[in-house]
Amino acid sequence: MTDPLSALEAAVQALPDDRTLRVRYAELLADAGRHGEAIEQASVVLREAPEDEAAKAVVRRAALAAAEPPGSTPAAAPPAPSDRHEDIDWSELEASIANPTEPPFVERVVAEHDEELLAEAAETAEDADPVAELRRETVRLADVGGLEVVKRRIDESFLQPMAHPEIAAAFGKKLRGGLLLYGPPGCGKTFLARAIAGELGAHFISVTLSDVLDRFIGESEKNIHRVFRTAREHAPAVLFFDEMDAIGAKRSGNTFSSFRNVVNQILVEMDGVDSQNDGVYVLAATNHPWEVDAALKRPGRFDRMVLVRPPDDDAREAILRVHLRRRPIEGIDLGDLVRRTKGFSGADLEHLVTTAAEKAMTESIRTGSVRPMRMDDMRAALKEVKPSIGPWVQTARNVAEYSNGSGEYDDMVEWLREEKQL
Ligand SMILES: Nc1ncnc2c1ncn2[C@@H]1O[C@H](COP(=O)(O)OP(=O)(O)O)[C@@H](O)[C@H]1O
Ligand SMILES: [Mg+2]
């Protein structure tokens, strides 16, 4: 029944340290035209054994074949290096190398009821909630670098209670309420929410508020209502509103009234009288919490706010690790990179790694011989990629100084002080 590929895949999973087995698996993947996965598997071997000739050969073959236009034989001998690289689709090649498979060490536990819920959601998607996304997310909490405090907070406030409802009930903990994540752009708010979705499967409903407004003017309240209804139907569930600042920014525009309606409808839904919101946890994210309507921040609504800090040294190391993990690398001095990237957001760090990868790849293809990413690629990339959170920090300082009367931004003040910005 099982074909050689899946047999080998299982064998590699059972004996992850057997390099010969993994190289053989990589070869078969390359034969099957699955170049990205072949490179990924060979890279795993090369990280342990940088001199493994068989693994190098697979990377070389797969990288060249991946650059080949579709339709040509995948197993063909590497063509002589020429100027072919002109027509290479860089982003596609990068994607195939950077993100070929699911992370090898994430357990794929998709509960059966999740499958059912997803199928059900697909069926009713039409009339249910056009703005809510119910889809499979592959990012996991383990992929989020740093942010330990925030992750612990989220774990305690709803992941654990959701996993152990009896215990939560015994302590009188009701699974409801809201948490507002805030912080500079590109530091992992949306990413963190995606990871929570990855953990929760169909119990996570994600809504981008600008979508509600832009696409459904006049329909906004109905949509908000539908989104809450979906969350209640899937309870225990987390309902995530991304880009709360986007509605703040609309105040001045002509969508103002529809923005008001959205806020009001969210208030109505969150205040739901009886126990209708039991099991519905509302999470939101914003870059500019000071633009979020004050009514939304009162008790019983988004009354808890957590700062998603720009990554400190440990977090930057973790984020760099996350993004370098699946790429062929050699001699990368993480400590040095951490020192050189003070003030970088998670997105800046990702951009840095992608830029460096592109450099290594350009050269590999130019010379016709694949080589891993090295420190000089990183250094070259550092000349191009600059930290982006400066403007946010400026605003944050003003807010900390002039509008923290109620102490709602205490954790931001603490961070600014630690960074000697206050
Ligand atoms: N803590 C992190 N760990 C790993 N990657 C991160 C982290 N923070 C940001 N990133 C990367 O930066 C990108 C942008 O982050 P995002 O979550 O969209 O920022 P925002 O806070 O603006 O919502 C993410 O897709 C991810 O690749
Ligand atoms: Mg975001």
Side-chain angles (χ1 to χ4, degrees):
M1 269 223 58
T2 42
D3 59 313
L5 250 183
S6 12
L8 258 179
E9 182 181 7
V12 166
Q13 269 165 11
L15 296 168
D17 295 324
D18 189 329
R19 293 207 287 267
T20 320
L21 209 56
R22 198 181 285 275
V23 171
R24 185 70 200 118
Y25 178 44
E27 284 168 352
L28 280 192
L29 284 169
D31 290 345
R34 290 158 67 177
H35 310 298
E37 291 162 84
I39 292 173
E40 135 109 348
Q41 293 300 330
S43 306
V44 172
V45 173
L46 286 173
R47 220 161 297 153
E48 295 299 314
E51 295 309 318
D52 192 310
E53 288 303 328
K56 277 195 216 166
V58 177
V59 174
R60 219 171 288 138
R61 169 153 77 97
L64 286 168
E68 201 82 355
S72 51
T73 20
S82 64
D83 284 332
R84 288 178 33 250
H85 61 275
E86 293 296 326
D87 8 281
I88 289 164
D89 181 342
W90 288 105
S91 49
E92 194 177 303
L93 183 54
E94 161 70 358
S96 76
I97 292 175
N99 206 7
T101 51
E102 293 195 29
F105 35 78
V106 166
E107 299 245 333
R108 282 203 244 174
V109 274
V110 178
E112 263 168 47
H113 61 272
D114 277 11
E115 298 283 355
E116 274 169 33
L117 288 174
L118 277 163
E120 196 184 291
E123 265 170 36
T124 53
E126 301 265 294
D127 56 308
D129 40 81
V131 284
E133 282 179 71
L134 216 46
R135 66 189 161 102
R136 204 175 294 273
E137 184 55 77
T138 52
V139 181
R140 291 302 171 91
L141 275 181
D143 296 312
V144 181
L147 296 182
E148 297 309 328
V149 176
V150 182
K151 281 200 259 183
R152 199 173 334 120
R153 184 89 163 254
I154 284 170
D155 198 46
E156 285 163 5
S157 55
F158 60 86
L159 293 182
Q160 288 302 326
M162 272 173 88
H164 307 284
E166 347 62 60
I167 302 179
F171 284 92
K173 167 138 180 74
K174 285 234 167 66
L175 189 86
R176 61 183 295 174
L179 179 68
L180 181 62
L181 304 174
Y182 76 101
C187 289
K189 298 180 295 296
T190 304
F191 195 62
L192 188 63
R194 285 180 53 204
I196 298 168
E199 303 288 335
L200 295 178
H203 300 283
F204 188 94
I205 293 127
S206 166
V207 187
T208 300
L209 275 176
S210 52
D211 287 356
V212 178
L213 282 170
D214 291 346
R215 305 202 336 234
F216 302 99
I217 292 176
E219 288 270 294
S220 316
E221 303 94 302
K222 245 188 262 167
N223 281 302
I224 294 288
H225 177 69
R226 288 203 190 111
V227 163
F228 271 88
R229 195 185 60 198
T230 308
R232 288 175 194 126
E233 282 164 8
H234 291 82
V238 173
L239 178 53
F240 175 59
F241 290 111
D242 204 355
E243 297 173 19
M244 288 291 266
D245 43 314
I247 50 172
K250 307 258 169 184
R251 272 172 200 270
S252 47
N254 54 8
T255 41
F256 174 75
S257 61
S258 107
F259 151 77
R260 257 290 19 122
N261 295 345
V262 167
V263 170
N264 286 340
Q265 190 62 35
I266 293 178
L267 294 178
V268 168
E269 300 290 342
M270 286 188 84
D271 288 348
V273 267
D274 39 32
S275 58
Q276 64 169 349
N277 282 341
D278 278 357
V280 176
Y281 201 94
V282 192
L283 187 67
T286 175
N287 296 344
H288 302 122
W290 34 88
E291 286 178 11
V292 171
D293 198 295
L296 282 170
K297 295 193 262 182
R298 300 229 175 86
R301 298 161 187 169
F302 297 103
D303 48 358
R304 277 163 302 164
M305 304 206 324
V306 191
L307 173 67
V308 174
R309 290 176 165 222
D312 62 11
D313 289 4
D314 291 344
R316 288 202 306 286
E317 181 175 337
I319 294 170
L320 284 166
R321 245 180 230 288
V322 164
H323 293 293
L324 287 166
R325 194 174 50 188
R326 283 173 241 164
R327 294 181 158 97
I329 53 172
E330 180 181 276
I332 296 292
D333 181 348
L334 272 181
D336 185 47
L337 288 179
V338 165
R339 275 189 298 280
R340 290 164 184 262
T341 51
K342 238 186 149 10
F344 277 55
S345 72
D348 298 336
L349 291 170
E350 183 185 17
H351 186 198
L352 180 75
V353 173
T354 322
T355 306
E358 222 163 76
K359 293 190 183 304
M361 206 158 52
T362 312
E363 201 186 293
S364 295
I365 292 185
R366 190 170 50 78
T367 61
S369 101
V370 171
R371 65 158 182 84
M373 290 166 64
R374 304 198 191 104
M375 274 309 268
D376 27 327
D377 300 313
M378 300 301 299
R379 278 190 286 266
L382 271 167
K383 294 211 173 81
E384 292 170 25
V385 181
K386 298 293 170 206
S388 65
I389 63 173
W392 185 89
V393 175
Q394 275 300 331
T395 313
R397 285 167 62 177
N398 289 334
V399 171
E401 214 154 330
Y402 304 112
S403 16
N404 189 33
S406 57
E408 60 181 332
Y409 299 112
D410 279 353
D411 48 359
M412 187 175 80
V413 170
E414 189 187 319
W415 176 75
L416 288 167
R417 290 222 173 97
E418 280 173 30
E419 295 295 308
K420 313 251 181 307
Q421 297 280 351
L422 262 193

